[in-house]
Amino acid sequence: MRINKYLAHAGVASRRKAEELIKAGDVTVNGDVMTDLAYQVKSGDTVEVKQTQIYKEEPVYYVLNKPRGVISSVSDEKDRKTVMDFFRHIPERIYPVGRLDWDTSGLILMTNDGEFANLMTHPRHEIEKVYIAKVEGQANKENLRPLTQGVKIDGRKTKPAIYQIIKQDISTKKSVVQLTIHEGRNHQVKKMFEAVGLPVQKLSRVQYGTLDLTGLQPGEFRRLSRKEVSQLVNAAKGI
């Protein structure tokens, strides 16, 4: 197996990030610094990254219902709670697929499969994601229509989204809106609502491709079946 793919399957990093580690001289095979990006790892080879031996793990995939106030990261320099705190007993070196903001709750994937993680997060793959947002202001067809056509955020226009008004509270001037998007840009949903004059107060991701949060309370997770993983991969590849 090619060295970058080996590292990806071991949960070290995506193939691209693995190549960066190799170029930086952080990867050794049998004690020698690896410089050949095309090297094929053989049975019996000892692979180390930053002097830590790497073992090819069996790939695992989880869905977590992330609570608000939790960082979507393997570690946090401020020692805040991260998604890893829910997986302390999991032996594999898993990590989150993409990110949810600290104050955003909901569905996030966890895996040790770098290739899968890269497939899920690559910009050209349009996996459907569904969010529920509590926003300031009265949501209606007029102010939400631009979302279905695409709005400009960070200098680029978003792809058309689908909305559904769940609730309107005239007395508090608040609304609850479901939004379905096919991208994964930084703070995208919040910026989209802000662009149409409806600042987000509370946000949760409730669906990712064919997955939802059925049966999962905040902080709970479950392992994905092979069928569910295949469905996500096929959706990313447009199959």
PDB file of all heavy atoms in Angstrom, residues 51-85:
ATOM      1  N   GLN A  51       8.492   9.968  15.387  1.00  0.00           N
ATOM      2  CA  GLN A  51       9.065   9.001  16.317  1.00  0.00           C
ATOM      3  C   GLN A  51       8.013   8.161  17.052  1.00  0.00           C
ATOM      4  O   GLN A  51       8.335   7.501  18.040  1.00  0.00           O
ATOM      5  CB  GLN A  51       9.969   9.713  17.341  1.00  0.00           C
ATOM      6  CG  GLN A  51      11.140  10.442  16.686  1.00  0.00           C
ATOM      7  CD  GLN A  51      12.044  11.107  17.695  1.00  0.00           C
ATOM      8  OE1 GLN A  51      11.597  11.532  18.750  1.00  0.00           O
ATOM      9  NE2 GLN A  51      13.336  11.167  17.375  1.00  0.00           N
ATOM     10  N   THR A  52       6.788   8.168  16.565  1.00  0.00           N
ATOM     11  CA  THR A  52       5.733   7.327  17.130  1.00  0.00           C
ATOM     12  C   THR A  52       5.349   6.277  16.103  1.00  0.00           C
ATOM     13  O   THR A  52       4.988   6.607  14.968  1.00  0.00           O
ATOM     14  CB  THR A  52       4.488   8.153  17.499  1.00  0.00           C
ATOM     15  OG1 THR A  52       4.852   9.123  18.488  1.00  0.00           O
ATOM     16  CG2 THR A  52       3.389   7.259  18.055  1.00  0.00           C
ATOM     17  N   GLN A  53       5.422   5.003  16.494  1.00  0.00           N
ATOM     18  CA  GLN A  53       5.145   3.937  15.540  1.00  0.00           C
ATOM     19  C   GLN A  53       3.663   3.918  15.171  1.00  0.00           C
ATOM     20  O   GLN A  53       2.788   4.090  16.025  1.00  0.00           O
ATOM     21  CB  GLN A  53       5.543   2.563  16.104  1.00  0.00           C
ATOM     22  CG  GLN A  53       5.449   1.444  15.067  1.00  0.00           C
ATOM     23  CD  GLN A  53       6.131   0.163  15.519  1.00  0.00           C
ATOM     24  OE1 GLN A  53       6.819   0.148  16.525  1.00  0.00           O
ATOM     25  NE2 GLN A  53       5.942  -0.903  14.768  1.00  0.00           N
ATOM     26  N   ILE A  54       3.417   3.709  13.888  1.00  0.00           N
ATOM     27  CA  ILE A  54       2.064   3.737  13.347  1.00  0.00           C
ATOM     28  C   ILE A  54       1.633   2.329  12.957  1.00  0.00           C
ATOM     29  O   ILE A  54       2.382   1.580  12.332  1.00  0.00           O
ATOM     30  CB  ILE A  54       1.984   4.660  12.106  1.00  0.00           C
ATOM     31  CG1 ILE A  54       2.439   6.078  12.476  1.00  0.00           C
ATOM     32  CG2 ILE A  54       0.578   4.673  11.526  1.00  0.00           C
ATOM     33  CD1 ILE A  54       1.652   6.716  13.592  1.00  0.00           C
ATOM     34  N   TYR A  55       0.426   1.988  13.349  1.00  0.00           N
ATOM     35  CA  TYR A  55      -0.149   0.703  12.989  1.00  0.00           C
ATOM     36  C   TYR A  55      -1.403   0.955  12.163  1.00  0.00           C
ATOM     37  O   TYR A  55      -2.192   1.851  12.469  1.00  0.00           O
ATOM     38  CB  TYR A  55      -0.521  -0.101  14.230  1.00  0.00           C
ATOM     39  CG  TYR A  55       0.638  -0.370  15.152  1.00  0.00           C
ATOM     40  CD1 TYR A  55       0.931   0.495  16.193  1.00  0.00           C
ATOM     41  CD2 TYR A  55       1.452  -1.489  14.975  1.00  0.00           C
ATOM     42  CE1 TYR A  55       2.000   0.267  17.042  1.00  0.00           C
ATOM     43  CE2 TYR A  55       2.519  -1.738  15.821  1.00  0.00           C
ATOM     44  CZ  TYR A  55       2.793  -0.856  16.846  1.00  0.00           C
ATOM     45  OH  TYR A  55       3.857  -1.082  17.687  1.00  0.00           O
ATOM     46  N   LYS A  56      -1.553   0.157  11.145  1.00  0.00           N
ATOM     47  CA  LYS A  56      -2.750   0.302  10.313  1.00  0.00           C
ATOM     48  C   LYS A  56      -3.949  -0.260  11.066  1.00  0.00           C
ATOM     49  O   LYS A  56      -4.043  -1.450  11.313  1.00  0.00           O
ATOM     50  CB  LYS A  56      -2.577  -0.437   8.980  1.00  0.00           C
ATOM     51  CG  LYS A  56      -3.770  -0.268   8.053  1.00  0.00           C
ATOM     52  CD  LYS A  56      -3.619  -1.113   6.800  1.00  0.00           C
ATOM     53  CE  LYS A  56      -4.889  -1.058   5.970  1.00  0.00           C
ATOM     54  NZ  LYS A  56      -4.818  -1.958   4.800  1.00  0.00           N
ATOM     55  N   GLU A  57      -4.848   0.627  11.425  1.00  0.00           N
ATOM     56  CA  GLU A  57      -6.038   0.228  12.171  1.00  0.00           C
ATOM     57  C   GLU A  57      -7.167  -0.152  11.210  1.00  0.00           C
ATOM     58  O   GLU A  57      -7.205   0.294  10.065  1.00  0.00           O
ATOM     59  CB  GLU A  57      -6.521   1.382  13.051  1.00  0.00           C
ATOM     60  CG  GLU A  57      -5.530   1.827  14.102  1.00  0.00           C
ATOM     61  CD  GLU A  57      -6.035   3.035  14.868  1.00  0.00           C
ATOM     62  OE1 GLU A  57      -6.832   3.804  14.299  1.00  0.00           O
ATOM     63  OE2 GLU A  57      -5.631   3.197  16.020  1.00  0.00           O
ATOM     64  N   GLU A  58      -8.071  -0.943  11.710  1.00  0.00           N
ATOM     65  CA  GLU A  58      -9.292  -1.186  10.959  1.00  0.00           C
ATOM     66  C   GLU A  58     -10.110   0.101  10.980  1.00  0.00           C
ATOM     67  O   GLU A  58     -10.255   0.739  12.024  1.00  0.00           O
ATOM     68  CB  GLU A  58     -10.091  -2.327  11.589  1.00  0.00           C
ATOM     69  CG  GLU A  58      -9.505  -3.706  11.348  1.00  0.00           C
ATOM     70  CD  GLU A  58      -9.438  -4.044   9.863  1.00  0.00           C
ATOM     71  OE1 GLU A  58     -10.436  -3.801   9.143  1.00  0.00           O
ATOM     72  OE2 GLU A  58      -8.378  -4.513   9.413  1.00  0.00           O
ATOM     73  N   PRO A  59     -10.619   0.515   9.838  1.00  0.00           N
ATOM     74  CA  PRO A  59     -11.383   1.765   9.816  1.00  0.00           C
ATOM     75  C   PRO A  59     -12.673   1.665  10.615  1.00  0.00           C
ATOM     76  O   PRO A  59     -13.374   0.646  10.579  1.00  0.00           O
ATOM     77  CB  PRO A  59     -11.674   1.976   8.327  1.00  0.00           C
ATOM     78  CG  PRO A  59     -11.577   0.613   7.717  1.00  0.00           C
ATOM     79  CD  PRO A  59     -10.527  -0.115   8.504  1.00  0.00           C
ATOM     80  N   VAL A  60     -12.975   2.705  11.370  1.00  0.00           N
ATOM     81  CA  VAL A  60     -14.216   2.767  12.144  1.00  0.00           C
ATOM     82  C   VAL A  60     -14.885   4.101  11.864  1.00  0.00           C
ATOM     83  O   VAL A  60     -14.230   5.096  11.536  1.00  0.00           O
ATOM     84  CB  VAL A  60     -13.963   2.607  13.659  1.00  0.00           C
ATOM     85  CG1 VAL A  60     -13.504   1.193  13.984  1.00  0.00           C
ATOM     86  CG2 VAL A  60     -12.954   3.628  14.159  1.00  0.00           C
ATOM     87  N   TYR A  61     -16.205   4.124  12.002  1.00  0.00           N
ATOM     88  CA  TYR A  61     -16.983   5.304  11.660  1.00  0.00           C
ATOM     89  C   TYR A  61     -18.097   5.472  12.701  1.00  0.00           C
ATOM     90  O   TYR A  61     -18.818   4.513  12.998  1.00  0.00           O
ATOM     91  CB  TYR A  61     -17.603   5.158  10.265  1.00  0.00           C
ATOM     92  CG  TYR A  61     -16.621   4.691   9.213  1.00  0.00           C
ATOM     93  CD1 TYR A  61     -16.410   3.323   8.998  1.00  0.00           C
ATOM     94  CD2 TYR A  61     -15.891   5.591   8.452  1.00  0.00           C
ATOM     95  CE1 TYR A  61     -15.496   2.877   8.054  1.00  0.00           C
ATOM     96  CE2 TYR A  61     -14.979   5.162   7.502  1.00  0.00           C
ATOM     97  CZ  TYR A  61     -14.783   3.805   7.311  1.00  0.00           C
ATOM     98  OH  TYR A  61     -13.874   3.364   6.377  1.00  0.00           O
ATOM     99  N   TYR A  62     -18.212   6.678  13.230  1.00  0.00           N
ATOM    100  CA  TYR A  62     -19.227   6.957  14.251  1.00  0.00           C
ATOM    101  C   TYR A  62     -19.991   8.224  13.883  1.00  0.00           C
ATOM    102  O   TYR A  62     -19.478   9.110  13.199  1.00  0.00           O
ATOM    103  CB  TYR A  62     -18.578   7.175  15.620  1.00  0.00           C
ATOM    104  CG  TYR A  62     -17.872   5.973  16.191  1.00  0.00           C
ATOM    105  CD1 TYR A  62     -16.512   5.778  15.969  1.00  0.00           C
ATOM    106  CD2 TYR A  62     -18.561   5.031  16.958  1.00  0.00           C
ATOM    107  CE1 TYR A  62     -15.857   4.670  16.500  1.00  0.00           C
ATOM    108  CE2 TYR A  62     -17.912   3.929  17.496  1.00  0.00           C
ATOM    109  CZ  TYR A  62     -16.560   3.759  17.262  1.00  0.00           C
ATOM    110  OH  TYR A  62     -15.903   2.659  17.778  1.00  0.00           O
ATOM    111  N   VAL A  63     -21.227   8.299  14.400  1.00  0.00           N
ATOM    112  CA  VAL A  63     -21.989   9.543  14.334  1.00  0.00           C
ATOM    113  C   VAL A  63     -22.235   9.985  15.773  1.00  0.00           C
ATOM    114  O   VAL A  63     -22.660   9.194  16.614  1.00  0.00           O
ATOM    115  CB  VAL A  63     -23.319   9.365  13.566  1.00  0.00           C
ATOM    116  CG1 VAL A  63     -24.172   8.238  14.127  1.00  0.00           C
ATOM    117  CG2 VAL A  63     -24.108  10.676  13.562  1.00  0.00           C
ATOM    118  N   LEU A  64     -21.920  11.250  16.047  1.00  0.00           N
ATOM    119  CA  LEU A  64     -22.062  11.824  17.384  1.00  0.00           C
ATOM    120  C   LEU A  64     -23.066  12.967  17.348  1.00  0.00           C
ATOM    121  O   LEU A  64     -23.073  13.766  16.412  1.00  0.00           O
ATOM    122  CB  LEU A  64     -20.705  12.360  17.863  1.00  0.00           C
ATOM    123  CG  LEU A  64     -20.700  13.268  19.099  1.00  0.00           C
ATOM    124  CD1 LEU A  64     -21.037  12.478  20.362  1.00  0.00           C
ATOM    125  CD2 LEU A  64     -19.342  13.968  19.250  1.00  0.00           C
ATOM    126  N   ASN A  65     -23.896  13.044  18.376  1.00  0.00           N
ATOM    127  CA  ASN A  65     -24.765  14.201  18.558  1.00  0.00           C
ATOM    128  C   ASN A  65     -24.000  15.181  19.454  1.00  0.00           C
ATOM    129  O   ASN A  65     -24.013  15.067  20.677  1.00  0.00           O
ATOM    130  CB  ASN A  65     -26.087  13.793  19.204  1.00  0.00           C
ATOM    131  CG  ASN A  65     -27.078  14.953  19.284  1.00  0.00           C
ATOM    132  OD1 ASN A  65     -26.743  16.098  18.989  1.00  0.00           O
ATOM    133  ND2 ASN A  65     -28.304  14.649  19.675  1.00  0.00           N
ATOM    134  N   LYS A  66     -23.305  16.100  18.835  1.00  0.00           N
ATOM    135  CA  LYS A  66     -22.443  17.024  19.581  1.00  0.00           C
ATOM    136  C   LYS A  66     -23.275  18.056  20.327  1.00  0.00           C
ATOM    137  O   LYS A  66     -24.085  18.762  19.742  1.00  0.00           O
ATOM    138  CB  LYS A  66     -21.488  17.753  18.633  1.00  0.00           C
ATOM    139  CG  LYS A  66     -20.477  18.636  19.361  1.00  0.00           C
ATOM    140  CD  LYS A  66     -19.661  19.474  18.399  1.00  0.00           C
ATOM    141  CE  LYS A  66     -20.324  20.796  18.079  1.00  0.00           C
ATOM    142  NZ  LYS A  66     -20.382  21.731  19.230  1.00  0.00           N
ATOM    143  N   PRO A  67     -23.054  18.191  21.636  1.00  0.00           N
ATOM    144  CA  PRO A  67     -23.754  19.242  22.379  1.00  0.00           C
ATOM    145  C   PRO A  67     -23.140  20.612  22.082  1.00  0.00           C
ATOM    146  O   PRO A  67     -22.015  20.720  21.588  1.00  0.00           O
ATOM    147  CB  PRO A  67     -23.498  18.864  23.848  1.00  0.00           C
ATOM    148  CG  PRO A  67     -22.959  17.464  23.828  1.00  0.00           C
ATOM    149  CD  PRO A  67     -22.262  17.327  22.510  1.00  0.00           C
ATOM    150  N   ARG A  68     -23.865  21.660  22.401  1.00  0.00           N
ATOM    151  CA  ARG A  68     -23.299  23.004  22.327  1.00  0.00           C
ATOM    152  C   ARG A  68     -22.197  23.121  23.372  1.00  0.00           C
ATOM    153  O   ARG A  68     -22.185  22.443  24.385  1.00  0.00           O
ATOM    154  CB  ARG A  68     -24.373  24.055  22.599  1.00  0.00           C
ATOM    155  CG  ARG A  68     -25.501  24.096  21.592  1.00  0.00           C
ATOM    156  CD  ARG A  68     -26.466  25.218  21.903  1.00  0.00           C
ATOM    157  NE  ARG A  68     -25.912  26.529  21.563  1.00  0.00           N
ATOM    158  CZ  ARG A  68     -26.455  27.687  21.964  1.00  0.00           C
ATOM    159  NH1 ARG A  68     -27.526  27.697  22.741  1.00  0.00           N
ATOM    160  NH2 ARG A  68     -25.911  28.834  21.598  1.00  0.00           N
ATOM    161  N   GLY A  69     -21.241  23.997  23.118  1.00  0.00           N
ATOM    162  CA  GLY A  69     -20.179  24.221  24.079  1.00  0.00           C
ATOM    163  C   GLY A  69     -19.069  23.193  24.025  1.00  0.00           C
ATOM    164  O   GLY A  69     -18.266  23.093  24.957  1.00  0.00           O
ATOM    165  N   VAL A  70     -19.007  22.425  22.931  1.00  0.00           N
ATOM    166  CA  VAL A  70     -17.982  21.404  22.754  1.00  0.00           C
ATOM    167  C   VAL A  70     -17.204  21.722  21.478  1.00  0.00           C
ATOM    168  O   VAL A  70     -17.795  22.020  20.434  1.00  0.00           O
ATOM    169  CB  VAL A  70     -18.598  19.992  22.670  1.00  0.00           C
ATOM    170  CG1 VAL A  70     -17.529  18.950  22.365  1.00  0.00           C
ATOM    171  CG2 VAL A  70     -19.310  19.646  23.972  1.00  0.00           C
ATOM    172  N   ILE A  71     -15.879  21.634  21.555  1.00  0.00           N
ATOM    173  CA  ILE A  71     -15.014  21.944  20.424  1.00  0.00           C
ATOM    174  C   ILE A  71     -14.898  20.736  19.497  1.00  0.00           C
ATOM    175  O   ILE A  71     -14.687  19.615  19.948  1.00  0.00           O
ATOM    176  CB  ILE A  71     -13.598  22.340  20.903  1.00  0.00           C
ATOM    177  CG1 ILE A  71     -13.679  23.484  21.918  1.00  0.00           C
ATOM    178  CG2 ILE A  71     -12.719  22.734  19.721  1.00  0.00           C
ATOM    179  CD1 ILE A  71     -14.217  24.758  21.379  1.00  0.00           C
ATOM    180  N   SER A  72     -15.029  20.962  18.188  1.00  0.00           N
ATOM    181  CA  SER A  72     -14.881  19.893  17.191  1.00  0.00           C
ATOM    182  C   SER A  72     -13.413  19.749  16.814  1.00  0.00           C
ATOM    183  O   SER A  72     -12.996  20.083  15.707  1.00  0.00           O
ATOM    184  CB  SER A  72     -15.724  20.196  15.944  1.00  0.00           C
ATOM    185  OG  SER A  72     -17.082  20.283  16.265  1.00  0.00           O
ATOM    186  N   SER A  73     -12.627  19.250  17.748  1.00  0.00           N
ATOM    187  CA  SER A  73     -11.197  19.124  17.536  1.00  0.00           C
ATOM    188  C   SER A  73     -10.663  17.978  18.386  1.00  0.00           C
ATOM    189  O   SER A  73     -11.302  17.558  19.350  1.00  0.00           O
ATOM    190  CB  SER A  73     -10.495  20.439  17.911  1.00  0.00           C
ATOM    191  OG  SER A  73      -9.103  20.333  17.753  1.00  0.00           O
ATOM    192  N   VAL A  74      -9.483  17.487  18.013  1.00  0.00           N
ATOM    193  CA  VAL A  74      -8.857  16.409  18.782  1.00  0.00           C
ATOM    194  C   VAL A  74      -8.350  16.938  20.117  1.00  0.00           C
ATOM    195  O   VAL A  74      -8.369  16.231  21.132  1.00  0.00           O
ATOM    196  CB  VAL A  74      -7.698  15.787  17.973  1.00  0.00           C
ATOM    197  CG1 VAL A  74      -6.906  14.810  18.822  1.00  0.00           C
ATOM    198  CG2 VAL A  74      -8.250  15.075  16.736  1.00  0.00           C
ATOM    199  N   SER A  75      -7.915  18.186  20.150  1.00  0.00           N
ATOM    200  CA  SER A  75      -7.431  18.795  21.387  1.00  0.00           C
ATOM    201  C   SER A  75      -7.732  20.281  21.357  1.00  0.00           C
ATOM    202  O   SER A  75      -8.093  20.841  20.315  1.00  0.00           O
ATOM    203  CB  SER A  75      -5.921  18.564  21.537  1.00  0.00           C
ATOM    204  OG  SER A  75      -5.214  19.160  20.461  1.00  0.00           O
ATOM    205  N   ASP A  76      -7.584  20.941  22.508  1.00  0.00           N
ATOM    206  CA  ASP A  76      -7.847  22.367  22.585  1.00  0.00           C
ATOM    207  C   ASP A  76      -6.815  23.015  23.497  1.00  0.00           C
ATOM    208  O   ASP A  76      -6.617  22.582  24.637  1.00  0.00           O
ATOM    209  CB  ASP A  76      -9.259  22.634  23.107  1.00  0.00           C
ATOM    210  CG  ASP A  76      -9.565  24.112  23.178  1.00  0.00           C
ATOM    211  OD1 ASP A  76      -9.609  24.757  22.109  1.00  0.00           O
ATOM    212  OD2 ASP A  76      -9.728  24.634  24.301  1.00  0.00           O
ATOM    213  N   GLU A  77      -6.163  24.041  23.001  1.00  0.00           N
ATOM    214  CA  GLU A  77      -5.091  24.689  23.762  1.00  0.00           C
ATOM    215  C   GLU A  77      -5.602  25.377  25.020  1.00  0.00           C
ATOM    216  O   GLU A  77      -4.837  25.631  25.957  1.00  0.00           O
ATOM    217  CB  GLU A  77      -4.367  25.704  22.876  1.00  0.00           C
ATOM    218  CG  GLU A  77      -5.249  26.794  22.322  1.00  0.00           C
ATOM    219  CD  GLU A  77      -4.522  27.736  21.379  1.00  0.00           C
ATOM    220  OE1 GLU A  77      -3.427  27.373  20.918  1.00  0.00           O
ATOM    221  OE2 GLU A  77      -5.058  28.836  21.101  1.00  0.00           O
ATOM    222  N   LYS A  78      -6.910  25.670  25.062  1.00  0.00           N
ATOM    223  CA  LYS A  78      -7.502  26.300  26.240  1.00  0.00           C
ATOM    224  C   LYS A  78      -8.105  25.263  27.188  1.00  0.00           C
ATOM    225  O   LYS A  78      -8.781  25.618  28.153  1.00  0.00           O
ATOM    226  CB  LYS A  78      -8.573  27.304  25.812  1.00  0.00           C
ATOM    227  CG  LYS A  78      -8.031  28.458  24.978  1.00  0.00           C
ATOM    228  CD  LYS A  78      -9.135  29.420  24.588  1.00  0.00           C
ATOM    229  CE  LYS A  78      -8.598  30.562  23.731  1.00  0.00           C
ATOM    230  NZ  LYS A  78      -9.685  31.499  23.325  1.00  0.00           N
ATOM    231  N   ASP A  79      -7.874  23.983  26.865  1.00  0.00           N
ATOM    232  CA  ASP A  79      -8.345  22.876  27.701  1.00  0.00           C
ATOM    233  C   ASP A  79      -9.864  22.847  27.837  1.00  0.00           C
ATOM    234  O   ASP A  79     -10.413  22.449  28.862  1.00  0.00           O
ATOM    235  CB  ASP A  79      -7.702  22.941  29.089  1.00  0.00           C
ATOM    236  CG  ASP A  79      -7.728  21.576  29.790  1.00  0.00           C
ATOM    237  OD1 ASP A  79      -7.683  20.556  29.080  1.00  0.00           O
ATOM    238  OD2 ASP A  79      -7.816  21.549  31.032  1.00  0.00           O
ATOM    239  N   ARG A  80     -10.553  23.268  26.760  1.00  0.00           N
ATOM    240  CA  ARG A  80     -12.004  23.166  26.747  1.00  0.00           C
ATOM    241  C   ARG A  80     -12.421  21.752  26.321  1.00  0.00           C
ATOM    242  O   ARG A  80     -11.630  21.014  25.758  1.00  0.00           O
ATOM    243  CB  ARG A  80     -12.591  24.200  25.779  1.00  0.00           C
ATOM    244  CG  ARG A  80     -12.409  25.643  26.228  1.00  0.00           C
ATOM    245  CD  ARG A  80     -12.819  26.628  25.150  1.00  0.00           C
ATOM    246  NE  ARG A  80     -11.923  26.562  23.992  1.00  0.00           N
ATOM    247  CZ  ARG A  80     -12.028  27.345  22.930  1.00  0.00           C
ATOM    248  NH1 ARG A  80     -12.996  28.250  22.862  1.00  0.00           N
ATOM    249  NH2 ARG A  80     -11.176  27.220  21.927  1.00  0.00           N
ATOM    250  N   LYS A  81     -13.655  21.409  26.587  1.00  0.00           N
ATOM    251  CA  LYS A  81     -14.159  20.081  26.248  1.00  0.00           C
ATOM    252  C   LYS A  81     -14.200  19.917  24.734  1.00  0.00           C
ATOM    253  O   LYS A  81     -14.637  20.813  24.010  1.00  0.00           O
ATOM    254  CB  LYS A  81     -15.556  19.883  26.826  1.00  0.00           C
ATOM    255  CG  LYS A  81     -16.073  18.453  26.741  1.00  0.00           C
ATOM    256  CD  LYS A  81     -17.332  18.274  27.566  1.00  0.00           C
ATOM    257  CE  LYS A  81     -17.745  16.808  27.607  1.00  0.00           C
ATOM    258  NZ  LYS A  81     -18.934  16.600  28.472  1.00  0.00           N
ATOM    259  N   THR A  82     -13.749  18.765  24.241  1.00  0.00           N
ATOM    260  CA  THR A  82     -13.770  18.475  22.814  1.00  0.00           C
ATOM    261  C   THR A  82     -14.600  17.225  22.552  1.00  0.00           C
ATOM    262  O   THR A  82     -14.956  16.494  23.485  1.00  0.00           O
ATOM    263  CB  THR A  82     -12.347  18.252  22.250  1.00  0.00           C
ATOM    264  OG1 THR A  82     -11.883  16.948  22.652  1.00  0.00           O
ATOM    265  CG2 THR A  82     -11.379  19.318  22.740  1.00  0.00           C
ATOM    266  N   VAL A  83     -14.852  16.970  21.279  1.00  0.00           N
ATOM    267  CA  VAL A  83     -15.615  15.778  20.910  1.00  0.00           C
ATOM    268  C   VAL A  83     -14.907  14.499  21.343  1.00  0.00           C
ATOM    269  O   VAL A  83     -15.543  13.460  21.552  1.00  0.00           O
ATOM    270  CB  VAL A  83     -15.881  15.739  19.392  1.00  0.00           C
ATOM    271  CG1 VAL A  83     -16.875  16.816  18.987  1.00  0.00           C
ATOM    272  CG2 VAL A  83     -14.582  15.868  18.598  1.00  0.00           C
ATOM    273  N   MET A  84     -13.590  14.559  21.501  1.00  0.00           N
ATOM    274  CA  MET A  84     -12.826  13.380  21.902  1.00  0.00           C
ATOM    275  C   MET A  84     -13.181  12.911  23.311  1.00  0.00           C
ATOM    276  O   MET A  84     -12.996  11.739  23.646  1.00  0.00           O
ATOM    277  CB  MET A  84     -11.323  13.663  21.813  1.00  0.00           C
ATOM    278  CG  MET A  84     -10.834  14.070  20.431  1.00  0.00           C
ATOM    279  SD  MET A  84     -11.271  12.883  19.149  1.00  0.00           S
ATOM    280  CE  MET A  84     -10.400  11.437  19.734  1.00  0.00           C
ATOM    281  N   ASP A  85     -13.699  13.808  24.135  1.00  0.00           N
ATOM    282  CA  ASP A  85     -14.046  13.438  25.508  1.00  0.00           C
ATOM    283  C   ASP A  85     -15.159  12.395  25.563  1.00  0.00           C
ATOM    284  O   ASP A  85     -15.306  11.704  26.576  1.00  0.00           O
ATOM    285  CB  ASP A  85     -14.464  14.680  26.297  1.00  0.00           C
ATOM    286  CG  ASP A  85     -13.298  15.614  26.574  1.00  0.00           C
ATOM    287  OD1 ASP A  85     -12.219  15.112  26.951  1.00  0.00           O
ATOM    288  OD2 ASP A  85     -13.446  16.835  26.398  1.00  0.00           O
TER     289      ASP A  85
END
